[in-house]
Amino acid sequence: GQQLNQSPQSMFIQEGEDVSMNCTSSSIFNTWLWYKQEPGEGPVLLIALYKAGELTSNGRLTAQFGITRKDSFLNISASIPSDVGIYFCAGLGGSNYKLTFGKGTLLTVNP
Amino acid sequence: DVKVTQSSRYLVKRTGEKVFLECVQDMDHENMFWYRQDPGLGLRLIYFSYDVKMKEKGDIPEGYSVSREKKERFSLILESASTNQTSMYLCASSSPSSLYEQYFGPGTRLTVT
């Protein structure tokens, strides 16, 4: 089946730093989604991308849909302590029902 | 605002008990999903439903069943709970009108002792 490789697995940064994480796949996806999950909560949708090359922002977050349709990245600028959590990428491929998820990037922000 | 709710945030059950996890969405979404989330394994799809009374197995359906009698409600059933079903269970929903973006509930942390 389809698989997503998400990196890095974890990041420990200082408040104010910028963060970058990415997902790659051997398969083509039609939609890329980025979620954030805080401890004990369900994932919350941050950004959705629908076209190759698309660059979308949501506050301090920016995500891009790769030209090849096989990758996506998420940047967080000027990190703050409340950015702490696990960030997941997810891709929607041939099926409109099922998402393929990355394993997540655990972000820790040191005040 | 989208809303997916799950019946319990925390649940403790004994081995062999029948367990019901309920999920309700108020977005009139056609598709509903049940995942389990375990450290190091990410989110794994158990079952999904694309319409009332319709269901399809996901990647790990063994030991689980589901029920969708109404569009807004999707239930996950553990027929005879086992300790290896201790996990975080997440419900989600999606629709063509929302471009198939999945919206998640807060999760149920199930412990089977």
Side-chain angles (χ1 to χ4, degrees):
Chain A
Q2 295 175 317
Q3 285 190 322
L4 288 181
N5 299 308
Q6 186 171 351
S7 65
Q9 281 188 316
S10 62
M11 302 181 76
F12 188 92
I13 62 169
Q14 294 296 122
E15 183 176 0
E17 288 184 13
D18 296 344
V19 171
S20 185
M21 58 192 79
N22 69 83
C23 274
T24 59
S25 172
S26 58
S27 306
I28 286 175
F29 288 98
N30 300 318
T31 299
W32 285 91
L33 306 172
W34 284 92
Y35 289 88
K36 178 189 177 186
Q37 186 178 25
E38 298 186 6
E41 302 292 331
V44 173
L45 183 63
L46 298 173
I47 293 179
L49 302 159
Y50 305 107
K51 291 197 301 191
E54 181 181 354
L55 187 71
T56 297
S57 294
N58 178 5
R60 293 178 295 104
L61 278 62
T62 302
Q64 184 156 28
F65 192 144
I67 291 290
T68 64
R69 295 166 63 194
K70 293 182 178 180
D71 62 345
S72 178
F73 73 75
L74 175 71
N75 285 345
I76 304 173
S77 63
S79 59
I80 59 178
S82 62
D83 289 333
V84 163
I86 303 175
Y87 291 80
F88 291 98
C89 63
L92 206 56
S95 161
N96 285 329
Y97 302 133
K98 294 171 65 172
L99 283 177
T100 300
F101 285 89
K103 292 277 172 65
T105 295
L106 174 61
L107 178 64
T108 304
V109 180
N110 194 29
Chain B
D1 222 12
V2 299
K3 190 85 170 176
V4 179
T5 57
Q6 295 184 228
S7 50
S8 305
R9 295 299 301 274
Y10 300 94
L11 211 51
V12 179
K13 296 291 183 181
R14 292 191 181 276
T15 301
E17 279 193 81
K18 191 168 186 175
V19 181
F20 293 87
L21 302 182
E22 298 252 301
C23 175
V24 178
Q25 50 95 4
D26 66 358
M27 297 166 282
D28 201 34
H29 281 175
E30 289 81 358
N31 308 323
M32 296 188 75
F33 306 81
W34 275 106
Y35 294 89
R36 64 176 283 177
Q37 184 178 27
D38 301 287
L41 297 177
L43 278 80
R44 293 181 290 167
L45 182 64
I46 304 171
Y47 267 98
F48 70 98
S49 168
Y50 50 90
D51 203 349
V52 174
K53 296 193 187 296
M54 306 303 288
K55 61 186 179 185
E56 282 198 26
K57 293 179 180 179
D59 301 317
I60 51 163
E62 296 79 20
Y64 304 94
S65 61
V66 290
S67 172
R68 188 147 181 223
E69 297 296 317
K70 293 184 178 182
K71 190 176 186 180
E72 69 270 17
R73 190 178 297 268
F74 191 34
S75 301
L76 179 70
I77 303 151
L78 287 65
E79 296 290 342
S80 177
S82 63
T83 55
N84 63 14
Q85 291 179 311
T86 291
S87 187
M88 173 74 134
Y89 289 88
L90 292 162
C91 174
S93 71
S94 75
S95 166
S97 61
S98 61
L99 296 172
Y100 295 103
E101 296 166 6
Q102 287 189 21
Y103 294 90
F104 284 83
T108 297
R109 171 72 64 184
L110 173 67
T111 302
V112 183
T113 61

